[in-house]
Amino acid sequence: MGGVYLSVARGAFRRYSTYRAATLAGTVTNTVFGVILASTMLALWRARPGLGGYDAAQAVTYIWISQGLLVTVAVWGGGFQDDLQARFRSGDIAVDLYRPVDFQGWWLATDLGRAGYQLLTRGALPMLAGAALFDLVLPADPLVWAEFLLSVALAVVVSFGLRFLATLTGFWLHESEGVRAAMTVVSMFFSGMLLPLALFPGLLGDLARVLPFSAMVQLPTDVLLRRRTGTGLLALYGFQLAWGAALLAIGRAGQALAVRRVVVQGG
Amino acid sequence: MAVIEVEDVRRSFTVRTRDGRWRREKREVRAVDGLTFAVEEGECVGYIGPNGAGKSTTVKMLTGILVPSGGRLRVAGVDPAARRAELARRIGVVFGQRTTLWWDLPLRDSYELARRIYRIPDARYRANLDRCVELLGLGELLDTPVRQLSLGQRMRGDLAAALLHDPSVLYLDEPTIGLDTVSKAKVRGFLRETNRERRTTVLLTTHDLTDIEQLCGRVMVIDHGRLVLDGPLERLHEIGGSERTLVVDLAEPHPPIDLPGVRVVRTEGPRQWLAFPARQSAAPIVAAVAERHPLVDLSVREPAIEDVIARIYAGSAAVPAP
């Protein structure tokens, strides 16, 4: 059965790779924003050195890693979400229910395939550009990179779990665009996409650290910047895994309710 | 053995309508209201009815994505709603207006995926794909991304996708909608072949009555959630009170011809249109006309199935269900 999901993921990877111009345009956008944000951070760190426990080079590196993660982890939504929303609108969602495959598993597989493609393009290319233009502090040890990739994979699962829940509201609302917009704002803020969460003061910082959004950007950058090692790293994976599993489980329950609703009440 | 068994199946929906500023009224709509029929293995049955008659609701219940409010349903021996995933492996579904194909990828990729989803053994997969490619003319399309296919090509692609796993039952919902004559003929030829050779049971929903005339030995007409007719195609004509028309060109204009069992529906100069029951032979009428009037030319027009259906829809309350 695993073969199905593997070929779904592979198909999604290939599907995204057919849009070369979009990939190129997106990569350029990420790079331009990276340059702007990195320059801003440099100015900020010149005024306040050591802010949040990062030195200036680390802060700039943080920006480039987060630019690489933005689309890979779909911090502001998208990916399978666009497809699924379109299927609600067109009614094609009924076709999905005829298939003898797991609905959530199917979409998770497509999202992992998409993330794989985008990691190689919109993740890696802006980071390479950033490394060429700025002094970044990136690890030389391949093991750290492997640890980073694992946390990125978990970040995608957490992100999928959140987006899946947002999209499921489409079964009731027919249109989950509003829910999605609200989540984009929250997600950009609490993931660490705008600023490292270490800069958030007091309660806000505490809140940001327990919400699932931190698993999407803050934690993978912590791995690559070696801010979490040893047992700290294990705890980080534990946090990502726990949120990923919890969100998938909630999504599964929501899916059962939604299918029941369609099946019993009619579409 | 009956592959599809439907016994007194009902399905109602609750519709909320606004009543004044705050109050909402709940109304129950019976989409399917006591439906009973059985389809034998290898049959090809046309399922027709006006929009909103309950066709899609029936098909949704037969595939298990809608639970009936009452009655008993069996498809290939199982209760569809209770065992939807299991049933999905044994049925094929094609919607003319929807697609199961992978939009951005070559057609071939969607078939590879179907092979994995339905766990089709390699040899069978190859044989089935070859057959579909040949009969549906898909050879050159296999490596084309689905989004670049025309509607007719995509429809053929969808048909193949629905049949790769050798389903014993095939539900088709308007498979020829929007297609040109050539594509329609290809699709119909393929379906006829599949039904005959593979003994695939087919339930075909359509508004294109040529589909029915060319493919189905049996027609079921549904209206207001009830079957108003179930029988061979010819019965449609009997029940619908079909008439054939004899068009005669006389040597010169003449008052309407008076013959028993024949009614003149129109005259235009020397041409007259004579209507008579569809079951009756045209020969004695032609002979009778020729005996009395010099005949220049003649033709016989068959009843249009559309008109028959329209009459049945219009008077469905009056037609007793068999």
Side-chain angles (χ1 to χ4, degrees), chain A residues 1 3-4 7-8 10-12 14-15 18-19 87 90-92 94-95 97-101 106 259 262-266, chain B residues 11 13 59-60 63-67 84-85 88-89 93 95 97-100 102 104-106 109 113 116-119 147:
Chain A
M1 199 62 197
V4 177
S7 44
V8 169
R10 213 180 295 136
R14 302 236 323 272
R15 191 198 137 188
T18 60
Y19 295 105
R87 296 184 79 77
S90 66
D92 284 351
V95 178
L97 297 176
Y98 288 127
R99 294 197 184 111
V101 283
W106 172 282
V259 170
V262 170
V263 166
V264 177
Q265 295 184 13
Chain B
R11 172 72 221 202
F13 296 99
V59 173
K60 280 182 182 159
T63 52
I65 63 167
L66 203 58
V67 178
R84 178 157 53 89
R89 295 185 183 283
V93 185
F95 285 103
Q97 319 219 48
R98 311 215 179 289
T99 182
T100 55
W102 213 319
D104 298 287
L105 294 179
D109 290 34
L113 192 64
R116 288 178 187 278
I117 290 178
Y118 295 102
R119 291 179 224 149
R147 66 180 135 92

Side-chain angles (χ1 to χ4, degrees), chain B residues 92-144:
Chain B
V93 185
V94 177
F95 285 103
Q97 319 219 48
R98 311 215 179 289
T99 182
T100 55
L101 303 172
W102 213 319
W103 198 242
D104 298 287
L105 294 179
L107 202 46
R108 191 189 292 281
D109 290 34
S110 291
Y111 297 154
E112 276 296 318
L113 192 64
R115 180 169 74 89
R116 288 178 187 278
I117 290 178
Y118 295 102
R119 291 179 224 149
I120 311 168
D122 282 359
R124 204 154 60 111
Y125 170 75
R126 235 167 287 131
N128 285 349
L129 183 60
D130 288 349
R131 174 177 171 271
C132 288
V133 165
E134 192 198 321
L135 291 176
L136 289 166
L138 296 174
E140 287 168 15
L141 306 176
L142 280 179
D143 295 307
T144 312

Side-chain angles (χ1 to χ4, degrees), chain A residues 7-263:
Chain A
S7 44
V8 169
R10 213 180 295 136
F13 183 99
R14 302 236 323 272
R15 191 198 137 188
Y16 276 86
S17 69
T18 60
Y19 295 105
R20 301 223 175 93
T23 301
L24 184 68
T27 305
V28 172
T29 309
N30 283 136
T31 308
V32 171
F33 270 93
V35 171
I36 296 170
L37 289 172
S39 309
T40 314
M41 289 299 148
L42 276 177
L44 182 59
W45 256 262
R46 204 165 296 136
R48 302 277 304 275
L51 201 58
Y54 296 87
D55 64 27
Q58 284 174 325
V60 169
T61 309
Y62 184 99
I63 289 301
W64 285 104
I65 301 170
S66 61
Q67 278 302 312
L69 292 174
L70 176 62
V71 175
T72 308
V73 182
V75 181
W76 67 25
F80 82 99
Q81 216 173 352
D82 299 328
D83 302 328
L84 197 46
Q85 281 185 356
R87 296 184 79 77
F88 277 115
R89 236 171 276 144
S90 66
D92 284 351
I93 195 80
V95 178
D96 296 340
L97 297 176
Y98 288 127
R99 294 197 184 111
V101 283
D102 181 68
F103 187 76
Q104 189 189 39
W106 172 282
W107 291 105
L108 176 59
T110 68
D111 208 49
L112 288 170
R114 172 204 62 80
Y117 173 74
Q118 288 181 330
L119 179 71
L120 293 178
T121 52
R122 300 192 59 179
L125 298 177
M127 268 177 84
L128 285 173
L133 298 167
F134 293 83
D135 286 327
L136 304 188
V137 279
L138 292 170
D141 186 354
L143 183 66
V144 180
W145 284 96
E147 290 167 354
F148 170 67
L149 288 182
L150 176 59
S151 78
V152 172
L154 292 171
V156 176
V157 174
V158 170
S159 162
F160 170 84
L162 287 165
R163 283 175 293 142
F164 188 73
L165 282 178
T167 314
L168 269 191
T169 60
F171 271 107
W172 288 270
L173 305 175
H174 299 289
E175 181 59 85
S176 53
E177 198 58 53
V179 176
R180 174 176 170 171
M183 207 173 81
T184 301
V185 175
V186 176
S187 172
M188 290 292 281
F189 187 73
F190 283 109
S191 62
M193 191 65 220
L194 298 177
L195 278 175
L197 298 184
L199 271 58
F200 288 16
L203 263 178
L204 193 62
D206 295 339
L207 179 64
R209 272 181 285 277
V210 296
L211 289 178
F213 304 98
S214 66
M216 293 158 63
V217 177
Q218 178 68 53
L219 299 187
T221 58
D222 281 352
V223 176
L224 202 58
L225 287 172
R226 311 221 59 190
R227 285 167 73 91
R228 304 277 287 266
T229 51
T231 52
L233 182 63
L234 289 180
L236 181 150
Y237 288 145
F239 180 86
Q240 286 187 311
L241 264 176
W243 267 120
L247 289 166
L248 288 182
I250 299 169
R252 186 148 283 272
Q255 164 187 322
L257 268 180
V259 170
R260 225 184 87 82
R261 185 191 136 84
V262 170
V263 166

